[in-house]
Amino acid sequence: MEFTEPQQRLIDLWEAHTAAEFELKDADAAVATMTDDVTLTHVPSGTGATGKEALRTFYAEVFIPQCPDDMELELITRTVVHNRVVDEFVLHFTHDRRMEWMTPGIAPTGRKLVVPHVGIVGFRDDKIISEHIYWDQGTVLMQMGVLDEGLPVMGSEQANRLRDPNATPNKLIGRFGGASG
């Protein structure tokens, strides 16, 4: 997809930010891409921070050290407007350490997880002003073995139809005695 030059600047900034978090593991480099009044909200777990210094501390002491070494981001779709990037992506990782930012209080399970996400990133004056990150906490907890598989929650297969529109839909319908499809 072709992006305009201003849109590409937003993408480049966002990709520099995620590289600082996941590749460089550098909190200072991550917050250098952000405004002083930035806000990060991981919506399902309520974690994050407001303000550049609070966020630098969150990245340095919680988020970055708790990201598994094999964490990988798979971009599915990207939408860019004049002041916002919306990424739909799948996060792949092994739950080999406590991840208080994602699953507070859950001990490492050693399980491989595949978790669809949506990130809505706002920009002001060529800096990131907000990140709202969404994922399905049910699929995370099911893949960790914390939730009973008898519940109407999907595991890693939740990401299949994002990657392949021909993957089987409606797997939960009928599983509990309702209509099949």
Side-chain angles (χ1 to χ4, degrees):
M1 172 177 236
E2 296 275 328
F3 292 102
T4 66
E5 190 270 330
Q7 290 172 323
Q8 191 60 53
R9 277 199 322 268
L10 300 181
I11 292 167
D12 292 346
L13 182 64
W14 175 233
E15 289 182 350
H17 177 82
T18 59
E21 292 175 322
F22 297 109
E23 295 167 30
L24 302 174
K25 300 186 182 295
D26 184 336
D28 291 325
V31 298
T33 64
M34 307 177 113
T35 64
D36 289 339
D37 57 340
V38 65
T39 300
L40 165 65
T41 304
H42 293 132
V43 176
S45 59
T47 61
T50 299
K52 200 171 196 174
E53 189 52 37
L55 190 51
R56 191 203 68 70
T57 300
F58 177 77
Y59 281 151
E61 296 178 10
V62 179
F63 184 77
I64 290 173
Q66 293 177 6
C67 283
D69 294 334
D70 68 347
M71 189 167 271
E72 202 174 298
L73 241 139
E74 174 192 358
L75 182 63
I76 302 295
T77 65
R78 172 170 282 158
T79 303
V80 184
V81 295
H82 74 282
N83 67 347
R84 197 162 311 280
V85 172
V86 179
D87 277 356
E88 180 181 29
F89 60 95
V90 177
L91 205 57
H92 303 260
F93 62 92
T94 303
H95 184 228
D96 62 359
R97 62 195 70 186
R98 289 184 79 94
M99 298 173 67
E100 297 297 322
W101 59 271
M102 181 178 252
T103 53
I106 306 293
T109 64
R111 294 179 179 214
K112 295 234 180 245
L113 275 72
V114 178
V115 185
H117 282 68
V118 173
I120 302 169
V121 186
F123 297 84
R124 182 180 71 210
D125 300 329
D126 291 326
K127 295 280 188 177
I128 296 169
I129 187 167
S130 63
E131 285 183 71
H132 299 160
I133 309 296
Y134 295 81
W135 65 83
D136 177 356
Q137 194 73 332
T139 193
V140 170
L141 297 173
M142 184 173 192
Q143 290 178 70
M144 288 180 172
V146 175
L147 284 184
D148 179 356
E149 291 196 23
L151 295 172
V153 177
M154 294 181 74
S156 63
E157 71 274 13
Q158 183 184 61
N160 291 350
R161 281 187 52 86
L162 297 177
R163 291 190 201 102
D164 176 8
N166 295 313
T168 305
N170 307 324
K171 285 193 168 199
L172 290 179
I173 297 174
R175 187 168 121 190
F176 301 98
S180 62

